[in-house]
Amino acid sequence: MTIWTDLAGIGFRLDYVDAGGTRTRALIAGEGQDIIALHGTSGHLEAFSRNIVPHVRAGYRIHAIDALGHGYTDKPNEPYEVYKYGEHVLRYMDAQGIEQAHLMGESLGGWTSGWLAINHPDRVRSIQLIAAGGTKADPAVMQRIKESTTKAVTSDDIDLTRKRLHLLMFDPERNVSEELVEIRHAIYHAPDFVRNIANLLSLQEMDVRQRNLLHPEDLAKIRTPTLIVWGTNNPFGGVAEATAMHENIAGSQLEIFNECGHWPQHEHAGRFNVLSIAFLNGNGAA
């Protein structure tokens, strides 16, 4: 399977959208209520290639976008804090004429989704927190992310990019294709990406991370329908982290995936897609 075969059978466009002055790469497909898919730190929209077709066929329009400073989206020279990621999503929605959207956020994307649900609930129909970051500051995890990403970006050794992707998966041999490695390697070595890597990793600095964390009292403000998905083998946080989110977000739904790392939507796409669509349909959508 390749990303092309993942996307077979539907129409889609890969476009650049002017999100309030930020040139933003987006893969857009389908008709219906809007879903915005938000990837994790140093990721890109291909993280959702296995999820687009099922959601389109279920009656949704999905936008997988490269986040601020990521992929082929613009990279302003400033530290990327969570509110800036959130404001970029709002500007993208404004540019596309989207009043409200469902947010499907993995890792950093989940963190951004939570921030938007707390600070701009009128723009958010529902959120999916997939191995979401933003509720803890573990120095060991932060250092691992910073070191593995920086090494892969500052060296031309493609094996370091491969190792960075393998870190995310329970079964990398099955879920990290050479196509995915080559896409990420090309992104990692674009001159503007290299130039801004410190800005992209700023949330792995303790002082920056601390002022961006979502605390229990913040999560308790979320009134948006919430689905939490977590892998038992997530290398960046244990199941207890997901359980704590579930306990703090009233009415949330928690689903634990066994034999799963940091990309449940990719590693167990079949189960995830069924679960996600049922969650969306059950919350007044479609």
Side-chain angles (χ1 to χ4, degrees), residues 119-130:
N119 293 283
H120 297 274
D122 55 318
R123 306 297 303 272
V124 182
R125 290 184 186 275
S126 71
I127 56 173
Q128 297 184 41
L129 307 181
I130 308 164

Side-chain angles (χ1 to χ4, degrees), residues 36-86:
I36 300 180
L38 304 169
H39 59 74
T41 297
S42 79
H44 33 86
L45 61 82
E46 286 81 1
F48 294 96
S49 66
R50 295 179 177 177
N51 313 112
I52 291 167
V53 171
H55 286 81
V56 167
R57 289 181 172 157
Y60 294 91
R61 181 166 60 175
I62 187 164
H63 310 243
I65 69 172
D66 284 347
L68 180 71
H70 286 68
Y72 294 98
T73 289
D74 278 352
K75 298 164 185 64
N77 184 17
E78 58 188 16
Y80 309 137
E81 301 197 36
V82 173
Y83 77 92
K84 291 181 180 177
Y85 290 117

